Amino acid sequence: MNMPTLDTASVRIIAAEKDHLARNYLPLPVVIASGEGAWVTDAEGKRYLDLLSAYSALNFGHRHPALLAAATAQLGRVTLTSRAFHNDRLGAFATALAELCGKDLVLPMNTGAEAVETAIKVARAWAYRVKGVAQDAAQIVVAHGNFHGRTTTIVGFSDDPSARDDFGPYPPGFVAVPYGDAAALDAAIGPDTAAVLIEPIQGEAGVIIPPDGYLRAVRESCDRHGVLFIADEIQSGLGRAGTTFACDREDVVPDVYVLGKALGGGIVPLSAVVADEAVLGVIRPGEHGSTFGGNPLACAVGLQVVEMLASGEFQQRAALLGEHLAGRLDGLVGHGVTAVRVAGLWAGVDIDPARGTAREVAERLAERGVLAKDTHGQTLRIAPPLVVRATELDWAVEQLRVALDA
Ligand SMILES: *Cc1c(COP(=O)(O)O)cnc(C)c1O
C-alpha cells in the first residue's frame, strides 16, 4: 500500500512512532482511532471492516455494549487487588468458566503465552506427582507448525525460524511431530510423556484444520498411554470455530483447556487454564501466580463473556455466517485463490503467487476499506467479529475479488 504522501494525521502518527517504537511488528499503514462492532475508523475518519478481530481477541466486536457495561461498572468499584486477598468477582468468574468448560478448576492468568506456560507447569507437576515420572524427565509432545506464544520456552519448540532463531538456548522436554498425523503422535508418546499440547485448529499456521477424526485419535492415544491432552484453544475457542471449543467439532473433551484472547472481551488481557481437580489440583499455594491474574476488572469482563457464550447464540452465528463466507470464498478459487479452509467464521485463503503476496493483497484490501492479515507468505487469514452481518461479508469478499485482480 503506498503511504499517502499528504500530511495527514495518520502519516504524522506513523512517522512519530518510528522514532521510539521497537520494530517487532510491521503493521499495515492504517491508524485506528475508534471502533464499534465489526468496524473501525482511522485518524482521517475512513472506515474499515475489521476481518482480523485482533487475532480473535475481538470475537464480540469492538466495544460490545454488554462488555463495556460490565467493565465500566467494575471500574467504578475496584480494579486490582492482587491474589494476596480475595476479590468479589473472581469466584463468580471461575464458577461460570468451569461450568462452560465442564471442568472443576480455573487458574486465571493474563496473556495466552502465560496460560500455555501454566499448562506446561501443571502437566510436568502432574507427571511427577501423579503419574510417577522421574524428576526432570517429563516430555511434552507438540506439533510442527505450532504457535503457542512468544516466551523463551514456547518459541523453543516452535519450528518457525523467525520465532526462534537467535533466542536460544532452549529448555529440553519437547518432542515435535507432524500436525494432523495421529499415528506419528501416538508413536512419539513414551513412558515419560506428561502431555500432548496441540491447537485443535492451527491459527497462525494459516487456519490449518486437521483431518477428520484426528482430535478423537489424539484423545484415544492420550487415554491409552495415560497422558494429558492439552488443547490450546486460545484462538480457536470461545465461538470462533462455530462451537464453544474447536474440540467440540469432534465431540472431544481435552484434559486441559488453555484459553485467552476473546476471554478478555477485547477489553483486557485475560487467559485461563481449565481442568479437573485431579490435574489442576496438583498446584499448591506459592508454586505459581501472577500479579494481575484474576484481577476484578478482568474477571468482571470475563464473566460477561462466559454469560454471552452460555446461550450458544454467538457459536451459532459463527457456524451460519461461516457457511455463508465459505460459499463466497469458494467462488474465488481459481480466480487468484488456490485454496480456502473454513472452520466456523474463520478462514485461511491461499493467494495465487501470480497475484502477489498475501501481504500485498492485504495492503490492497486496506485501501478498499477491509482489514485482514497475511500469515506465512501466501495465506490471508480472515476472522471477522462474530457480530458481522452476512451482507458485510459479501461486500468484503467483493473487495477481495477486486484486490486480487488489481
Ligand atoms: C495468540 C495465541 C497464543 C499467545 O497468546 P498471547 O496473548 O499473544 O500471549 C497462544 N496460542 C495460540 C493458539 C494463539 O493463537
Side-chain angles (χ1 to χ4, degrees), residues 26-163:
L26 186 64
L28 293 175
V30 174
V31 178
I32 295 170
S34 65
E36 187 171 5
W39 292 83
V40 295
T41 304
D42 74 8
E44 280 69 49
K46 177 176 173 180
R47 295 178 81 227
Y48 303 81
L49 186 64
D50 183 355
L51 296 193
L52 179 64
S53 306
Y55 308 93
S56 290
L58 285 160
N59 279 1
F60 309 97
H62 296 266
R63 297 166 57 245
H64 188 287
L67 295 170
L68 271 193
T72 308
Q74 192 59 38
L75 280 171
R77 290 200 289 269
V78 66
T79 54
L80 182 63
T81 56
S82 87
R83 295 287 306 274
F85 315 106
H86 297 268
N87 75 63
D88 67 358
R89 300 282 86 198
L90 181 51
F93 166 65
T95 302
L97 184 58
E99 189 182 323
L100 185 78
C101 297
K103 299 286 187 193
D104 298 333
L105 300 178
V106 170
L107 197 163
M109 296 294 283
N110 311 284
T111 66
E114 285 176 306
V116 172
E117 288 276 352
T118 302
I120 291 168
K121 286 174 72 174
V122 168
R124 288 174 174 169
W126 175 85
Y128 303 133
R129 295 171 186 175
V130 178
K131 185 171 175 173
V133 172
Q135 206 41 235
D136 290 345
Q139 298 282 324
I140 294 176
V141 179
V142 299
H144 290 159
N146 70 72
F147 182 86
H148 297 289
R150 299 291 196 168
T151 64
T152 48
T153 289
I154 291 171
V155 298
F157 59 83
S158 163
D159 51 19
D160 177 355
S162 70

Side-chain angles (χ1 to χ4, degrees), residues 25 55 110-114 116 147-150 154 199 201-204 232-236 258 260-261 269 271 346 381:
Y25 278 91
Y55 308 93
N110 311 284
T111 66
E114 285 176 306
V116 172
F147 182 86
H148 297 289
R150 299 291 196 168
I154 291 171
E199 299 154 84
I201 294 171
Q202 288 189 328
E204 299 297 311
D232 180 346
E233 293 257 17
I234 290 170
Q235 193 166 156
S236 59
V258 186
K261 293 206 163 102
S271 64
W346 200 16
R381 179 178 14 184

Side-chain angles (χ1 to χ4, degrees), residues 55-384:
Y55 308 93
S56 290
L58 285 160
N59 279 1
F60 309 97
H62 296 266
R63 297 166 57 245
H64 188 287
L67 295 170
L68 271 193
T72 308
Q74 192 59 38
L75 280 171
R77 290 200 289 269
V78 66
T79 54
L80 182 63
T81 56
S82 87
R83 295 287 306 274
F85 315 106
H86 297 268
N87 75 63
D88 67 358
R89 300 282 86 198
L90 181 51
F93 166 65
T95 302
L97 184 58
E99 189 182 323
L100 185 78
C101 297
K103 299 286 187 193
D104 298 333
L105 300 178
V106 170
L107 197 163
M109 296 294 283
N110 311 284
T111 66
E114 285 176 306
V116 172
E117 288 276 352
T118 302
I120 291 168
K121 286 174 72 174
V122 168
R124 288 174 174 169
W126 175 85
Y128 303 133
R129 295 171 186 175
V130 178
K131 185 171 175 173
V133 172
Q135 206 41 235
D136 290 345
Q139 298 282 324
I140 294 176
V141 179
V142 299
H144 290 159
N146 70 72
F147 182 86
H148 297 289
R150 299 291 196 168
T151 64
T152 48
T153 289
I154 291 171
V155 298
F157 59 83
S158 163
D159 51 19
D160 177 355
S162 70
R164 59 170 285 137
D165 284 3
D166 294 333
F167 302 124
Y170 296 118
F174 299 94
V175 183
V177 296
Y179 186 67
D181 183 341
L185 184 134
D186 189 77
I189 297 177
D192 291 336
T193 305
V196 168
L197 165 62
I198 56 163
E199 299 154 84
I201 294 171
Q202 288 189 328
E204 299 297 311
V207 191
I208 307 298
I209 304 164
D212 199 31
Y214 176 66
L215 300 175
R216 275 194 303 276
V218 172
R219 177 69 275 178
E220 204 268 319
S221 283
C222 289
D223 286 342
R224 191 153 33 80
H225 295 285
V227 312
L228 301 177
F229 181 177
I230 305 173
D232 180 346
E233 293 257 17
I234 290 170
Q235 193 166 156
S236 59
L238 307 184
R240 173 57 58 192
T243 43
T244 304
F245 303 108
C247 283
D248 296 344
R249 292 161 54 89
E250 292 195 17
D251 289 320
V252 161
V253 179
D255 298 292
V256 180
Y257 287 107
V258 186
L259 305 174
K261 293 206 163 102
L263 192 58
I267 299 178
V268 287
L270 175 59
S271 64
V273 169
V274 187
D276 277 335
E277 173 70 40
V279 177
L280 201 38
V282 299
I283 298 291
R284 302 182 285 235
E287 291 184 337
H288 191 58
S290 161
T291 304
F292 289 93
N295 73 75
L297 178 59
C299 288
V301 175
L303 176 60
Q304 185 61 44
V305 165
V306 173
E307 281 174 3
M308 285 161 67
L309 286 167
S311 73
E313 170 199 336
F314 287 94
Q315 295 89 320
Q316 200 187 1
R317 253 193 101 73
L320 292 174
L321 287 170
E323 275 174 37
H324 182 86
L325 178 66
R328 298 295 155 135
L329 289 174
D330 281 344
L332 297 180
V333 176
H335 300 90
V337 167
T338 55
V340 174
R341 296 169 295 280
V342 183
L345 194 49
W346 200 16
V349 178
D350 293 344
I351 306 298
D352 182 345
R355 308 294 181 100
T357 63
R359 167 80 186 195
E360 285 162 350
V361 172
E363 289 172 352
R364 287 181 228 145
L365 269 177
E367 282 173 0
R368 308 195 64 81
V370 176
L371 299 184
K373 178 74 173 73
D374 55 294
T375 180
H376 293 279
Q378 286 311 128
T379 301
L380 204 62
R381 179 178 14 184
I382 296 182

